[in-house]
Amino acid sequence: MIASLCLAAVVLAALSGVPGLFFPRTSRAGEQLSVAAMLAFGALALFVALRVLLGGGAVELSLPWSVPGGAFEVRIDALSAVFLAPVGLIPALGAVYGRGYWPERDHPHDARQLRFFYGLLTAGMALVVIAANAVLFLVGWEVMALAGYFLVATEDREAKVREAGVVYLAMTRLGSLVLYAMFGTLLAATGGLLLFARSPATVAMRPVFQSAVVLLSLAGFGVKAGLVPLHAWLPPAHGNAPSHVSALMSGVMLKMGIYGIFRVTSLFAAPPLWWGELVLALGIISGLVGVAFALGQHDLKRLLAYHSVENIGIILMGLGLALIGRATGRPALAVLGFAGALFHVWNHALFKSLLFFSAGSVVHQTGTREMDRLGGIAKRMRLTALAFVIGAVAIAGLPPLNGFASELFVYLASLRSVAHPGGPWLVVAFAAPALAMIGALAVACFAKAYGAVFLGEPRSDDAREPRESSAFLLAPMAVLAALCALFGIAPGLVVPMLARAVDAWAPGLSAAAPLASLVPTTAITLGALALLLILGIAALVLRRRPTAMSAPTWACGYSRPVPRAQYTASSFAQQLVVLLRFIVWPRTHRPAIRGLFPSPTDFHSETPDLVLDRAALPLTRRIARAVGSRRVLQGGSIHAYLGYIFAAVIVLLLLFRVGGVLP
Amino acid sequence: MILDALIHLAFVLALPPLLLGVIGKVKAFFAGRVGPPLVQPYRDLARLFRKSEVVSTTTTWVFRAGPVVMLATALVAAMLVPFGGRPAPLSFSGDLILFAYLFALARFFTVAAAMDTGSAFEGMGAAREATFAALAEPALFLAFLTLVRASGSLSLTGMLGHGLGRAWSSASASLVFVVVSLFVVLLVESSRVPFDDPATHLELTMIHEVMVLDHSGPMLGTIHYAAALKLLVLGALVARLVAPVSTGSLPLDWLVFAGSILAVAIVVGVVESVMARLRLLQIPLLLVGACLLSGFALVLFAR
């Protein structure tokens, strides 16, 4: 019953954009119907997820399906439910946001296609997290991946957007290819069971196959999650997609990769130590590289995209600690690490969507994403600015908001193994200073972004006259900001839910080390409330007095300060970027100034992506040039490609007939 | 217990300006002057709180939030740190993380308040503050990790409690490194020489002082007080580490603490008197050095 309710919600989301295709462009009915359908989907998905998480038990459903090797099996356990919750919440809020951000009135050419693929992407993600069968999982995965392409390429009249779309498509195809290899290995090693859940067959797999599956999943799912160095598609895609799509991709779609990695690591009962060490190392690298590149960005949305890479790193650090805990028989480490990772999945979905929504609100009003062209927005868009600062405090992991709560779990995992040494405690110990460094850099980066975009004086005419956005944009932000505060102040609310999900990942862990006894939730709540109380009193004491005078900013004796003299986002980050140049490799154009009366000059700096701009694109261009006109197979004719597919299917069928692989 | 908490609160509220007075006296001594009286910082604060203020027309509420958040976070952090051998009023497993992140929260809002004025100088100071903190943070955490490892406890009170004397005898090398590293963190976080010169009057060379150029009156007073409180709080960590005495008697313990925190202030004053401010480009090197030192302290436990 519950599972079929969830399936109905998936269908609702998938069809949410369809009616809009048939209404005339002057009618608002299509927009309203799609928002209503997405809200209904969100409510249903959240209901199902919360029911499972609050102790309703896993729900299952199995329907007849004629696909070979496939079975229409749906299973929602606590681990699925943790991911189903943001899949329900964020797209529903995003649909409301999109109603004001991308109305059909202003975008007659692409608003319909946007709504259609938005619903499809949501449905695909929901299917991914509830599928218990590998074929069904892959169906959801491909729907999600392809719908994602059309969403990235919404404004396909711009060359930059098309390029972002192609990069996304190429990388997502590569990722899928690796996933087919992974499922193939599972299929071969378990003797034809296409289950995507722990079973005696997966537990009994030979260690070498287990490791192969985990490595392939890190590569295949890592592309989707944005793991360094597989993150290359993410900054252009998130930068160029409409903001509510960026929010959906960054807040939720990346987590589908994380979900895959979580599922695969739960298939096996005894992970060797090096899995955890590898995942921890990958997490630290992603976290540091992500935040270092974020510091170098000039484009607000690209900056947020790199912070997704950073946060995926933090999630993986939690998973790495948990795997180390499982491998060395330390349930407390495993529970804290995994619960921290899960909690951060939620929190990142909340604050990153909030940040993309408020960034989108700015882009909507000013028409630019260049931080160095903005400034002083907070005076005219107070609520958007407030939403951004809440998101910024949350993502930087600062108390009393939710980012702090989940990072605290990961810190505690690391600190506890240091306090009770034994096993690889020194490896685990270095997670804490790494996280501290990532956190401090994130504080710097968001102080830069918030300061440059919202504070000071406008740096260009774009930022001169913005108006506050409509309620369609503000209401979703309010919901997310409230949730960020709630999870930060009262993390005790989610602890029982996370504990159930930890048990779904590795049965028996919670019994060995109950999560509630490991995290000081009451102390966090009391500390947060004390902080807020003292803040309130201090604000009251230091409120503006009637005797206060107003004057221009003190410019150290210079009597006519101009907005152009302000510190920009680039100058703010310059010192850190230079310190981190061994990661970031910034490129600056700085002509030498000569003579007594130098001519006007210019300065320019950029941080090309290490993987995409410095390796992948040059390499592919070189290959394309080298092959040149000698391309025989890749003619660009769709008929030829259909022919190839047909031939490939025939060959494969023949192979199966001879080899008899499929049951 | 209640008495301890009350004395703790009294120290938090009353002591910070005295530390500034002591540092001033030490510097005056080295310069061969009499120097301002020890209570001068109290008088300065009282004067600032009586004044009216000038607020830039560029600013928003964030400008005012800077001092407010700085004060509130320093107060909460002060409740987490044990003074001497006495337990802190608030203590829980993992409070050291909250402690470190409270300072990060204060940093976010002071930096934002500086950016809010639209002044190039304040932006410059804000950028430097954020940059150096990114290197000081790992050093602080590595030092904490070493203490966690040495004590087996996850709270500041536990880490710096009765077991500290035993830890000194079993892991003295590590603890020496931790003391040095924490002292460096103390100097950079409370903007003292050699990282920053609170007495300088050249905007281009300053870090913290230049960030608060536009704050005046009670807001400036709050900032000075909160900075002194931060000095007290971080100084209390160092003071406890170098004087790990637990007599068990309440008045004696508090006396030991008062003596050791004043000694820390004197050392800060001496450092300030005998050293010049580092060039900005050299500061990161010293901070990386502090990180490596406390990292080394931790690695020593793996032998």
Side-chain angles (χ1 to χ4, degrees):
Chain A
M1 172 60 202
I2 299 292
S4 37
L5 207 60
C6 193
L7 268 186
V10 173
V11 175
L12 202 59
L15 299 179
S16 67
V18 174
L21 300 176
F22 301 102
F23 283 106
R25 286 185 209 281
T26 48
S27 156
R28 291 254 172 100
E31 286 176 299
Q32 276 151 359
L33 274 174
S34 105
V35 171
M38 290 303 287
L39 281 176
F41 158 79
L44 284 174
L46 273 177
F47 167 73
V48 173
L50 284 178
R51 205 191 119 92
V52 173
L53 283 174
L54 289 172
V59 289
E60 291 177 306
L61 179 73
S62 148
L63 295 174
W65 204 26
S66 64
V67 174
F72 205 101
E73 284 168 340
V74 167
R75 185 180 146 78
I76 308 163
D77 61 1
L79 187 57
S80 303
V82 164
F83 286 84
L84 186 60
V87 168
L89 178 71
I90 306 296
L93 293 178
V96 176
Y97 184 94
R99 174 78 175 71
Y101 184 79
W102 209 267
E104 190 143 349
R105 182 163 38 85
D106 301 347
H107 302 271
H109 296 290
D110 42 31
R112 304 165 155 224
Q113 108 184 34
L114 177 64
R115 285 199 306 268
F116 177 71
F117 287 113
Y118 193 84
L120 218 50
L121 173 66
T122 307
M125 293 193 297
L127 198 55
V128 161
V129 296
I130 63 175
N133 173 274
V135 177
L136 189 61
F137 177 90
L138 282 171
V139 169
W141 188 264
E142 294 295 349
V143 168
M144 168 182 91
L146 291 177
Y149 165 71
F150 289 103
L151 288 173
V152 169
T154 298
E155 290 180 285
D156 53 9
R157 271 180 297 260
E158 289 180 38
K160 251 172 49 187
V161 175
R162 284 198 301 274
E163 186 178 311
V166 169
V167 169
Y168 167 81
L169 194 62
M171 294 208 55
T172 202
R173 295 319 306 152
L174 278 177
S176 296
L177 209 60
V178 178
L179 287 186
Y180 286 112
M182 183 203 87
F183 280 114
T185 315
L186 265 181
L187 180 75
T190 57
L193 283 167
L194 272 166
L195 278 175
F196 200 36
R198 190 187 285 194
S199 68
T202 60
V203 171
M205 271 169 67
R206 281 171 50 198
V208 55
F209 284 124
Q210 295 190 3
S211 295
V213 167
V214 166
L215 286 178
L216 287 170
S217 80
L218 280 176
F221 289 126
V223 171
K224 190 56 81 184
L227 192 61
V228 172
L230 306 171
H231 68 283
W233 63 271
L234 210 140
H238 290 191
N240 288 304
S243 293
H244 58 307
V245 174
S246 311
L248 185 61
M249 290 187 136
S250 181
V252 193
M253 195 177 82
L254 302 187
K255 310 298 163 37
M256 298 301 113
I258 293 292
Y259 172 75
I261 296 174
F262 283 6
R263 268 285 171 227
V264 168
T265 47
S266 84
L267 292 179
F268 312 114
L273 181 59
W274 66 268
W275 289 4
E277 289 174 337
L278 176 70
V279 172
L280 180 63
L282 287 174
I284 292 177
I285 291 172
S286 285
L288 280 174
V289 171
V291 73
F293 272 95
L295 274 164
Q297 300 307 310
H298 306 310
D299 176 325
L300 181 57
K301 285 175 72 181
R302 275 180 72 99
L303 178 143
L304 292 179
Y306 275 112
H307 272 287
S308 299
V309 177
E310 174 223 324
N311 279 284
I312 291 295
I314 296 176
I315 292 168
L316 283 182
M317 283 168 73
L319 175 68
L321 293 176
L323 284 171
I324 292 177
R326 270 174 68 188
T328 54
R330 296 157 166 268
L333 176 59
V335 168
L336 275 172
F338 196 69
L342 287 172
F343 197 13
H344 208 67
V345 164
W346 274 4
N347 291 338
H348 181 245
L350 294 175
F351 53 63
K352 185 48 71 63
S353 306
L354 176 60
L355 285 165
F356 267 117
F357 283 172
S358 52
S361 174
V362 172
V363 175
H364 197 52
Q365 293 297 330
T366 61
T368 181
R369 309 194 302 249
E370 285 291 321
M371 284 183 277
D372 289 344
R373 295 181 62 79
L374 296 167
I377 306 273
K379 278 203 274 302
R380 294 186 175 269
M381 301 175 71
R382 286 164 189 271
L383 295 172
T384 300
L386 185 65
F388 193 90
V389 78
I390 291 175
V393 169
I395 197 174
L398 300 175
L401 298 182
N402 57 350
F404 175 72
S406 45
E407 287 186 25
L408 181 73
F409 282 35
V410 180
Y411 272 119
L412 282 176
S414 168
L415 291 178
R416 278 188 68 95
S417 4
V418 176
H420 310 290
W425 69 270
L426 197 59
V427 177
V428 174
F430 279 95
L435 195 52
M437 178 131 194
I438 293 170
L441 290 172
V443 169
C445 194
F446 274 94
K448 158 190 130 164
Y450 180 59
V453 173
F454 291 96
L455 304 177
E457 296 282 353
R459 289 183 180 78
S460 74
D461 288 338
D462 295 338
R464 204 79 66 194
E465 295 290 329
R467 287 180 299 124
E468 185 57 275
S469 295
S470 67
F472 284 120
L473 277 72
L474 292 173
M477 290 191 232
V479 173
L480 291 170
L483 283 172
C484 282
L486 179 71
F487 283 8
I489 295 170
L493 288 179
V494 299
V495 161
M497 307 191 211
L498 296 178
R500 283 193 190 90
V502 170
D503 248 3
W505 181 61
L509 270 186
S510 282
L515 182 61
S517 69
L518 295 174
V519 281
T521 47
T522 326
I524 297 173
T525 308
L526 288 178
L529 292 178
L531 180 65
L532 291 175
L533 183 71
I534 298 179
L535 271 177
I537 295 172
L540 206 63
V541 171
L542 283 178
R543 70 187 181 280
R544 191 185 173 110
R545 299 179 188 187
T547 54
M549 289 176 287
S550 288
T553 293
W554 166 244
C556 303
Y558 186 62
S559 59
R560 294 184 59 194
V562 286
R564 278 167 53 106
Q566 287 177 99
Y567 237 47
T568 58
S570 321
S571 40
F572 186 91
Q574 189 257 350
Q575 212 174 355
L576 274 172
V577 170
V578 170
L579 275 179
L580 297 169
R581 61 186 176 277
F582 62 96
I583 303 177
V584 182
W585 296 11
R587 201 184 275 163
T588 50
H589 163 75
R590 189 196 318 240
I593 297 173
R594 290 208 179 80
L596 291 175
F597 299 99
S599 53
T601 183
D602 64 315
F603 171 82
H604 173 75
S605 73
E606 59 178 345
T607 45
D609 189 86
L610 207 54
V611 177
L612 183 67
D613 300 314
R614 291 204 185 261
L617 285 184
L619 187 70
T620 44
R621 288 208 186 97
R622 188 163 300 173
I623 292 174
R625 242 199 327 274
V627 176
S629 57
R630 275 165 291 170
R631 286 187 294 187
V632 183
L633 289 173
Q634 296 275 11
S637 147
I638 199 156
H639 307 90
Y641 291 122
L642 283 175
Y644 297 154
I645 294 173
F646 184 70
V649 169
I650 297 283
V651 171
L652 284 175
L653 281 176
L654 285 174
L655 277 177
F656 285 140
R657 187 135 186 101
V658 178
V661 179
L662 270 188
Chain B
M1 193 63 204
I2 301 285
L3 190 58
D4 266 325
L6 285 177
I7 302 176
H8 191 100
L9 199 61
F11 266 69
V12 165
L13 295 178
L15 199 58
L18 183 66
L19 298 182
L20 297 183
V22 170
I23 294 175
K25 269 289 180 204
V26 172
K27 286 171 79 173
F29 171 78
F30 271 82
R33 295 181 281 116
V34 178
L38 280 177
V39 293
Q40 187 61 39
Y42 295 93
R43 291 183 188 155
D44 288 344
L45 285 179
R47 178 172 50 84
L48 283 172
F49 276 99
R50 277 199 308 274
K51 285 195 161 194
S52 72
E53 55 190 10
V54 184
V55 182
S56 163
T57 45
T58 305
T59 57
T60 61
W61 62 271
V62 176
F63 179 67
R64 208 165 273 277
V68 168
V69 175
M70 209 175 152
L71 179 66
T73 51
L75 282 173
V76 176
M79 293 300 128
L80 298 172
V81 175
F83 284 174
R86 314 306 297 179
L90 288 178
S91 171
F92 59 91
S93 177
D95 58 3
L96 56 103
I97 303 157
L98 180 62
F99 176 81
Y101 270 72
L102 281 171
F103 287 128
L105 179 66
R107 195 186 320 127
F108 180 85
F109 276 97
T110 37
V111 165
M115 302 284 281
D116 199 18
T117 62
S119 151
F121 295 108
E122 298 201 29
M124 210 176 278
R128 289 172 188 165
E129 171 100 354
T131 305
F132 300 145
L135 295 171
E137 202 100 314
L140 181 67
F141 265 92
L142 281 164
F144 278 164
L145 275 172
T146 312
L147 293 175
V148 166
R149 176 72 187 79
S151 67
S153 167
L154 293 188
S155 74
L156 287 168
T157 298
M159 266 161 51
L160 300 168
H162 298 291
L164 204 55
R166 213 173 39 251
W168 264 108
S169 55
S170 63
S172 45
S174 286
L175 288 192
V176 169
F177 289 155
V178 167
V179 169
V180 175
S181 177
L182 276 181
F183 190 68
V184 171
V185 170
L186 159 81
L187 291 179
V188 68
E189 283 283 330
S190 45
S191 331
R192 313 300 308 189
V193 173
F195 297 101
D196 191 6
D197 189 352
T200 181
H201 288 288
L202 186 59
E203 293 86 350
L204 276 173
T205 60
M206 298 189 291
I207 302 171
H208 185 259
E209 289 296 302
V210 75
M211 283 171 65
V212 299
L213 271 182
D214 259 87
H215 290 89
S216 54
M219 278 197 286
L220 186 62
T222 307
I223 289 169
H224 284 329
Y225 175 76
L229 180 53
K230 198 170 170 187
L231 181 68
L232 169 71
V233 165
L234 290 167
L237 295 177
V238 180
R240 174 63 186 160
L241 277 174
V242 293
V245 197
S246 296
T247 57
S249 130
L250 186 135
L252 265 182
D253 272 356
W254 281 105
L255 267 181
V256 167
F257 170 70
S260 52
I261 190 78
L262 288 179
V264 169
I266 291 171
V267 174
V268 171
V270 172
V271 168
E272 224 148 283
S273 306
V274 301
M275 280 187 82
R277 204 178 55 77
L278 285 176
R279 283 174 58 213
L280 278 176
L281 294 178
Q282 289 169 333
I283 293 178
L285 299 181
L286 187 52
L287 289 174
V288 170
C291 285
L292 292 177
L293 208 56
S294 41
F296 198 52
L298 184 63
V299 173
L300 277 184
F301 278 99
R303 74 206 137 104

